[in-house]
Amino acid sequence: MPLRNAIAAQVHDMVGSRAGDGMARGPGDAGLLPYKGAAWRIHSDFAAMMIGGGTALLMQMLHPAAAAGVWDHSNFRADMTGRLRRTAQFVRATTFGTTEQADTIIDRVRRIHDRVTGVLPDGAPYHANDPATLTWVHVAGADAFVRAYVRYCDPWASGAMQDRYFAETAIVARRLGATEVPESRGAVARYLQGVRPQLRADDRSRAIADVLLAAPPPVAGAAPAMQLVMAAGIDLMPPWARALHGLDAPAWRRPAVRAGAKGVASLLRWSLAA
């Protein structure tokens, strides 16, 4: 179908993927994450990953060191789409790729992080390879992806499956240098409660959020859909995080946002169906 193919092509352009690009494991190659495991299942749903991706970035920017790394060492103002594409490629390689592909992209990210250092506005030093910062970035993303999947793909996903997701993806975080990575829903909830005193919204985090929310769509004509995706991502955030960002929407809008996002998700799944 021309429409289905056109939408699918735009999605592949957005994430920088193509059919037949070598993202397939050979016999005897277990890869980094289990074949058809919980991470495979959640990361396969592009719609949930898009919505969760917006949530994840907004959450991550509440950590001063994570926001400083983006502020000081990226061209996020001119290339927010490129940043999101690189994140999608990392998730794709570590989830579906060969062991060699996963190792290669993890090593590449670690080398990039080696150069991401600086000083926070309060004078404290930061380093992108700091284990605690890496743990925050991982947990903020993993938690967002799980919650987006449950809300927009499979409301009946079992608690055990969600716990397996956190346990499986913890290996990627540890390979990047994170430590004390929570591996279950309960452990994630306790971690988030403990880290909250370190989080804040400041001029940097608000500027990054403004760029993300105002970024032009990666493909022409997708602005309404992307606005719904971002609204759904904001709605998915914990209330305390929305309050920090100053992004809390009126309760009466949430049903419409969720219904619209479910419509976008259904369209995306239809277009990407084999």
Side-chain angles (χ1 to χ4, degrees):
M1 295 183 182
L3 177 60
R4 173 180 284 179
N5 293 341
I7 295 173
Q10 291 177 341
V11 169
H12 288 302
D13 284 342
M14 189 184 307
V15 299
S17 67
R18 280 289 180 272
D21 61 0
M23 210 55 81
R25 301 174 187 173
D29 186 352
L32 191 60
L33 299 182
Y35 176 69
K36 293 192 175 179
W40 187 291
R41 179 174 164 184
I42 288 175
H43 294 170
S44 293
D45 191 79
F46 179 74
M49 293 298 287
M50 276 188 67
I51 294 169
T55 305
L57 188 54
L58 288 169
M59 291 290 291
Q60 289 162 353
M61 292 307 100
L62 291 174
H63 192 292
V70 172
W71 186 270
D72 293 339
H73 296 274
S74 77
N75 61 339
F76 69 93
R77 293 177 183 83
D79 192 28
M80 183 60 77
T81 298
R83 179 180 177 83
L84 296 173
R85 179 181 293 118
R86 289 187 291 275
T87 299
Q89 290 170 339
F90 178 84
V91 171
R92 188 164 179 265
T94 54
T95 306
F96 309 111
T98 64
T99 302
E100 181 181 2
Q101 288 167 334
D103 288 342
T104 297
I105 201 163
I106 288 172
D107 289 344
R108 183 187 307 156
V109 170
R110 286 184 64 90
R111 289 195 300 271
I112 292 171
H113 284 175
D114 284 339
R115 303 191 297 270
V116 178
T117 64
V119 178
L120 298 175
D122 64 5
Y126 73 84
H127 196 300
N129 274 333
D130 170 62
T133 303
L134 290 166
T135 300
W136 164 252
V137 170
H138 166 76
V139 174
D143 182 60
F145 293 145
V146 168
R147 287 187 288 110
Y149 180 82
V150 171
R151 179 171 293 177
Y152 289 103
C153 182
D154 184 6
W156 301 277
S158 70
M161 189 279 280
Q162 296 173 53
D163 286 346
R164 285 196 301 274
Y165 175 85
F166 288 117
E168 289 173 10
T169 56
I171 189 174
V172 179
R174 288 193 291 267
R175 292 284 295 275
L176 284 169
T179 57
E180 300 182 27
V181 184
E183 297 191 17
S184 68
R185 289 168 300 149
V188 166
R190 290 189 294 273
Y191 170 83
L192 290 174
Q193 184 65 31
V195 79
R196 277 181 62 178
Q198 303 174 36
L199 307 179
R200 64 173 182 262
D202 56 17
D203 291 343
R204 290 180 169 187
S205 61
R206 291 190 183 96
I208 295 169
D210 288 345
V211 171
L212 174 65
L213 297 174
V219 292
M226 292 305 297
Q227 288 169 0
L228 269 173
V229 165
M230 289 309 306
I234 292 169
D235 176 53
L236 198 65
M237 296 169 68
W240 57 265
R242 291 198 303 267
L244 281 176
H245 271 298
L247 292 172
D248 213 4
W252 61 266
R253 286 191 57 198
R254 292 174 193 161
V257 166
R258 295 179 188 183
K262 287 178 181 178
V264 172
S266 296
L267 179 63
L268 287 170
R269 292 187 192 107
W270 169 77
S271 70
L272 295 171

